[in-house]
Amino acid sequence: MDRPSWAPQGIDITVPSVSRIYDFYLGGSHNFEVDREAARQAMQFIPAIPKVAQANRAFMRRAIELAVADGVTQFLDIGSGIPTFGNVHEVAQTADPAARVVYVDHDPVAVAHSKAVLAENEQADVVGADLCRPREILTSEPVGKLLDLDRPVALLLVSVLHFVQDADDPHAAVAQLGDALAPGSLLAVTHGSYEGMRIAAERAEGTVDVYKSTRNPLVMRSRDEIARFFEGYDMLEPGLVPLPHWRPETDPNEADPSLFGGFVGVGRKA
């Protein structure tokens, strides 16, 4: 398999990556055939998965705009993936040119491409780190340089927590991150769930099985388990709801059934 010039040395391009599969769903070009094949297999069960990725991106945009309107102009985006059109710094800095953004991802392709995209942006940077090691994130140079943790920060965990296994205790990791944030900070989460799903169970389970071939298998959690991530936060309206019902811009009754396979929400730290 040929290694493209943008692929960092040392990565195994024979194993599909969650961030590169997501990049493919969003129409990006920083993915390998192994990623595209895994995506196509998942789409055999749920053809509308790219719509789910796009809806997650739209939620992220609305959450960022909410944050800026709330006076929060610092963003920590963990599990940020590979930059595509409409990324956090583009949305946030359009709303407020003074906004500062730190991206975090453990995929070397995502980190390398983010560095290239952000090379001329002095108010945004990227950290190569893992959500499960919050201290490494919080003590990183970009966080220290760009984010004032004594002021509110918007912590974005969009489509990432369902790739963290229970054994890695994602609730503890999110709690540790939250403990470092000032009152008034925001937490935005999207997370997959079988609850409320409007497609056949075997189709959903088929997609979940495809992700077992990656280094980060998909973990579907209950609404109650997802709500635990918001302990210490006051939920903003409309609460923890299916993706089409969070401050919709279109009629949620017309949304694709695949968009109801999870919950999203934004909370404000008390």
Side-chain angles (χ1 to χ4, degrees):
M1 183 182 298
D2 293 334
R3 180 184 295 272
S5 59
W6 49 261
Q9 294 297 318
I11 66 168
D12 186 351
I13 62 176
T14 67
V15 178
S17 154
V18 165
S19 63
R20 298 194 304 265
I21 293 171
Y22 197 73
D23 176 65
F24 175 76
Y25 291 149
L26 289 172
S29 60
H30 284 71
N31 47 75
F32 305 120
E33 180 55 31
V34 68
D35 307 307
R36 295 189 285 274
E37 179 56 27
R40 287 191 287 264
Q41 289 177 14
M43 290 167 63
Q44 287 180 1
F45 296 98
I46 305 179
I49 286 182
K51 290 184 179 181
V52 178
Q54 293 159 12
N56 270 279
R57 180 57 60 98
F59 162 80
M60 183 183 74
R61 173 182 54 78
R62 297 198 299 276
I64 293 167
E65 291 171 347
L66 178 154
V68 173
D70 205 41
V72 179
T73 57
Q74 303 186 104
F75 297 86
L76 181 58
D77 181 13
I78 302 181
S80 52
I82 297 167
T84 56
F85 178 75
N87 233 49
V88 175
H89 71 281
E90 295 174 334
V91 178
Q93 291 173 358
T94 296
D96 187 329
R100 295 171 177 264
V101 179
V102 175
Y103 294 108
V104 181
D105 206 286
H106 62 59
D107 186 317
V109 172
V111 175
H113 192 45
S114 296
K115 285 184 179 296
V117 169
L118 301 172
E120 305 299 321
N121 194 321
E122 296 182 354
Q123 293 171 195
D125 205 345
V126 61
V127 178
D130 194 309
L131 168 63
C132 297
R133 294 193 288 274
R135 182 168 177 77
E136 289 184 16
I137 296 171
L138 295 167
T139 60
S140 66
E141 181 179 351
V143 168
K145 178 181 69 175
L146 290 176
L147 304 184
D148 178 359
L149 298 183
D150 291 326
R151 294 174 47 240
V153 172
L155 173 58
L156 307 178
L157 299 174
V158 177
S159 196
V160 62
L161 289 169
H162 48 226
F163 292 114
V164 182
Q165 308 306 297
D166 289 337
D168 293 320
D169 202 349
H171 289 96
V174 174
Q176 188 174 342
L177 289 164
D179 287 345
L181 303 182
S185 293
L186 301 175
L187 171 63
V189 169
T190 73
H191 197 302
S193 176
Y194 287 123
E195 285 188 32
M197 192 165 281
R198 297 186 180 181
I199 60 176
E202 58 269 21
R203 288 175 56 194
E205 290 166 358
T207 296
V208 171
D209 285 344
V210 170
Y211 279 89
K212 291 178 181 177
S213 67
T214 74
R215 291 191 173 90
N216 301 98
L218 186 59
V219 182
M220 304 289 266
R221 295 188 170 93
S222 69
R223 186 183 184 282
D224 287 346
E225 288 173 316
I226 298 167
R228 282 181 53 205
F229 290 113
F230 288 98
E231 291 180 357
Y233 295 83
D234 296 325
M235 295 301 297
L236 304 185
E237 291 294 334
L240 186 62
V241 296
L243 185 52
H245 288 287
W246 199 88
R247 305 194 179 197
E249 296 173 327
T250 58
D251 185 352
N253 294 316
E254 298 178 359
D256 190 283
S258 301
L259 301 185
F260 290 85
F263 295 93
V264 308
V266 176
R268 180 184 290 113
K269 185 176 178 181

